[in-house]
Amino acid sequence: MGPSALRYASLQQKLEALGFSVHDQGNIEVPIAETCSVTDPKLKYVDCIVPMARRVAGAVATSIQGGRFPLVLGGDHSLSLGSIRGAAKSKRLGVIWVDAHADFNTPETTPSGNIHGMPLAALAGLGDPSLVQLWDETIPVVDPERIAILGARDLDPGEKVNLRGAGVMVMGMEQIDRFGMTTVVEKAIERVGRDTDGIYLSFDMDALDPNYAPGVGTRVSAGLTQRESHLACELIAETGKLAGMDLVEVNPILDVQNQTAALGVDLILSALGRRIWEGS
């Protein structure tokens, strides 16, 4: 339902108004959750999620091979198991992960067993083999030292250990409050852009404060403002290195008059170059 909500918020029309040629490839086939069974409580619905991730990876890789920019809509963050993997098939990527959560758990550290709390760890080479390697790709998909997490404010104890051990840059709300979004994003860009072919932006709408984005599955208070979020996207756009983007965690069942999807569309536009004023 998340991608439909974003389409309903005129995503394609607004991208075309910005000058882009849009090829909507439709939805990736995803099993209905209620038809999937939990075979491992530490890897819930893994038998349904892994095939989905492979399909996403293939679609993104094909998009990039065709000279296009992949924009992936969701849905929960487990889709990034596939999207970033597909983008990294032909490029050495840095990743900026904007999220209230780090999604850096493994089956050993997860308190819930939800795979949407594990994709970034798997991309960095940590976790269950079924998530770490979907095909014959080189492991890790992304160098952990070329990953920056922005806006984090809800980290599990074992996840913190994983992050420190891997060398991931974490710029939580404390750093954003103290130094400001411009400084934080510039530090992240410098870190993940070093010796890479491009930057992949994976933006979870729960990074925003729930007052601005109520339609998410895992709300955490004291989050980003709308302007902070737009500024982050604008600064990333200015690098000219954006290689792909996810916009995830849009849940219209929990939303109010589709405001989360509408804001998500606006953030996509900012990441792809829209400006209020083109002067200095």
Side-chain angles (χ1 to χ4, degrees):
M1 291 181 287
S4 292
L6 290 159
R7 291 186 178 100
Y8 182 77
S10 303
L11 174 60
Q12 179 163 341
Q13 295 91 325
K14 290 182 177 181
L15 285 170
E16 290 172 343
L18 205 57
F20 290 101
S21 175
V22 180
H23 301 266
D24 187 341
Q25 299 299 307
N27 290 353
I28 299 294
E29 181 186 351
V30 180
I32 298 171
E34 291 78 9
T35 66
C36 297
S37 58
V38 176
T39 55
D40 184 342
K42 290 292 187 179
L43 289 163
K44 291 180 179 175
Y45 306 114
V46 65
D47 295 334
C48 287
I49 290 172
V50 167
M52 173 278 298
R54 288 195 181 108
R55 288 191 286 270
V56 173
V60 170
T62 299
S63 174
I64 288 178
Q65 287 164 5
R68 300 190 177 98
F69 176 93
L71 175 62
V72 185
L73 312 176
D76 80 40
H77 225 153
S78 61
L79 66 80
S80 297
L81 285 166
S83 61
I84 294 175
R85 194 178 311 263
K89 187 173 184 181
S90 56
K91 299 185 179 195
R92 177 178 165 84
L93 293 177
V95 172
I96 295 180
W97 192 271
V98 184
D99 200 326
H101 313 87
D103 297 344
F104 216 79
N105 272 303
T106 64
E108 291 72 34
T109 63
T110 176
S112 68
N114 291 327
I115 291 176
H116 63 75
M118 304 180 192
L120 192 53
L123 291 165
L126 303 177
D128 189 82
S130 66
L131 305 181
V132 169
Q133 190 166 33
L134 297 186
W135 46 35
D136 59 353
E137 70 274 29
T138 302
I139 304 302
V141 173
V142 180
D143 180 350
E145 295 190 354
R146 295 295 174 266
I147 296 172
I149 299 169
L150 306 185
R153 56 192 183 277
D154 185 10
L155 304 176
D156 298 313
E159 191 174 33
K160 293 179 182 179
V161 174
N162 293 342
L163 289 162
R164 288 193 186 98
V168 173
M169 172 184 276
V170 180
M171 290 292 201
M173 290 307 301
E174 308 101 311
Q175 287 75 35
I176 292 170
D177 290 341
R178 181 173 297 183
F179 303 114
M181 183 59 89
T182 298
T183 297
V184 165
V185 174
E186 287 175 348
K187 286 180 179 291
I189 289 169
E190 194 281 328
R191 174 76 170 266
V192 309
R194 194 184 311 145
D195 300 322
T196 59
D197 301 321
I199 296 171
Y200 198 101
L201 173 61
S202 197
F203 199 113
D204 189 315
M205 291 300 291
D206 70 22
L208 284 101
D209 189 90
N211 288 318
Y212 302 108
V216 300
T218 47
R219 299 181 189 181
V220 186
S221 62
L224 299 177
T225 66
Q226 287 193 47
R227 257 320 303 164
E228 286 172 330
S229 302
H230 276 289
L231 179 57
C233 291
E234 290 160 0
L235 291 169
I236 294 166
E238 286 176 3
T239 67
K241 294 189 69 174
L242 190 61
M245 180 177 180
D246 304 328
L247 195 289
V248 306
E249 196 59 46
V250 176
N251 188 336
I253 289 178
L254 302 173
D255 206 2
V256 178
Q257 296 182 329
N258 213 36
Q259 72 182 70
T260 302
L263 177 53
V265 168
D266 283 342
L267 291 172
I268 290 168
L269 297 175
S270 287
L272 293 181
R274 186 179 72 173
R275 294 295 176 271
I276 297 168
W277 179 253
E278 294 298 335
S280 59

